[in-house]
Amino acid sequence: TTQQICECAGGILRPNEPFQYIVDSAKEGPGHGKQSERTGMVKAWMKYGSTPSPQHDFNNLDYQMAQEYLSSELMSEFQYP
């Protein structure tokens, strides 16, 4: 997946260097809050990796509007529930 995204954006993975995951938060410096509160790779997986239901944090009206107005084909293409 990383290689496909990289190539789609016009990049090239370095063939002689292994891919390096950024496990901690990729953001650094004083403008990004406390380091202990930043989201790294594992926290992001836990937070965004799966949702308890298709409605997730939407209220009923927002969820109904999304079902009515968003393209079901596009949502399916991006693998949204």
Side-chain angles (χ1 to χ4, degrees):
T1 301
T2 302
Q3 182 175 350
Q4 292 170 329
I5 293 170
C6 180
E7 290 173 357
C8 180
I12 300 170
L13 289 179
R14 296 176 183 166
N16 298 330
E17 296 180 31
F19 181 78
Q20 296 178 1
Y21 292 96
I22 299 175
V23 178
D24 296 325
S25 176
K27 296 183 178 182
E28 296 180 357
H32 299 288
K34 296 178 183 178
Q35 188 168 358
S36 62
E37 296 176 359
R38 296 178 191 164
T39 302
M41 184 173 70
V42 175
K43 283 185 183 177
W45 280 344
M46 291 169 52
K47 185 174 183 179
Y48 302 110
S50 64
T51 56
S53 72
Q55 188 168 341
H56 194 50
D57 289 334
F58 290 105
N59 65 40
N60 288 334
L61 180 60
D62 287 343
Y63 187 68
Q64 289 171 356
M65 295 294 283
Q67 286 183 312
E68 186 173 340
Y69 291 103
L70 294 178
S71 164
S72 60
E73 292 84 15
L74 185 60
M75 297 299 282
S76 177
E77 186 70 27
F78 285 102
Q79 301 178 4
Y80 284 99

